[in-house]
Amino acid sequence: HTHTHTTTSSMDVSKLLAEEESRQSALLARVQVQRNEDFTLDPGNMLVFDPRPFELKGDVNPSEQLLEATQENLQLLTNAIWELPVQRIEEGVLAKLPLPTTPLPREKPVPKGKVQTRWEKYAAEKARWRALLDFASLSRSLS
């Protein structure tokens, strides 16, 4: 299949420009999310909390509805992250995340302090005595 070069008319150029403008506005519409409902962003934890109840809409596939809500929330988070200060490195651009505002629960309780065994107590006491004797012999040698 060979391609022949033809001169492009102004009609073709304006059509191409209109198509590109339409494509760009469609992309921009996906990036610019407008939300009036209450939601919470925590860029430090990279979290979005969306308290809206998830309600099924008529004949639309529930998976598609969930995907749409997820994409909207993710776009809100992405927009918030790109508003943060950034740092350029060799591999790309890093956003400087703020400290998290939402405390996250632990899966397991905080570990308790380990109880020393009799041997560990003996070794620690012996080390203290040795340090004390070393200090005493050092002070005698300096006198």
Side-chain angles (χ1 to χ4, degrees):
H1 160 136
T2 57
H3 183 282
T4 58
H5 184 68
T6 59
T7 48
T8 309
S9 69
S10 63
M11 182 73 151
D12 292 339
V13 171
S14 61
K15 181 181 175 189
L16 288 173
L17 288 174
E19 288 174 358
E20 180 61 22
E21 187 176 314
S22 173
R23 189 179 73 76
Q24 290 292 331
S25 66
L27 285 173
L28 190 59
R30 290 180 65 189
V31 171
Q32 293 177 334
V33 178
Q34 300 295 324
R35 285 277 298 267
N36 296 329
E37 297 91 8
D38 190 31
F39 66 95
T40 305
L41 284 173
D42 181 0
N45 279 323
M46 297 181 64
L47 295 174
V48 178
F49 295 99
D50 186 353
R52 297 180 299 179
F54 187 74
E55 298 174 4
L56 297 176
K57 299 174 190 168
D59 60 344
V60 181
N61 182 345
S63 295
E64 290 176 15
Q65 289 181 44
L66 187 57
L67 179 62
E68 183 180 315
T70 303
Q71 286 175 334
E72 182 179 287
N73 289 331
L74 182 59
Q75 190 61 59
L76 287 167
L77 178 62
T78 304
N79 292 349
I81 289 172
W82 280 111
E83 291 174 5
L84 297 172
V86 294
Q87 173 186 2
R88 294 194 180 279
I89 62 169
E90 188 175 318
E91 291 83 12
V93 178
L94 294 177
K96 295 181 182 177
L97 297 179
L99 292 175
T101 58
T102 307
L104 297 178
R106 290 180 58 97
E107 180 181 347
K108 300 184 188 234
V110 176
K112 293 181 170 66
K114 184 179 170 190
V115 178
Q116 281 188 326
T117 63
R118 285 183 9 197
W119 171 250
E120 289 169 331
K121 287 179 187 175
Y122 170 76
E125 188 64 28
K126 187 175 177 182
R128 276 193 290 269
W129 276 106
R130 185 165 287 153
L132 183 61
L133 292 174
D134 288 347
F135 178 75
S137 67
L138 178 66
S139 63
R140 268 191 241 118
S141 67
L142 292 176
S143 312

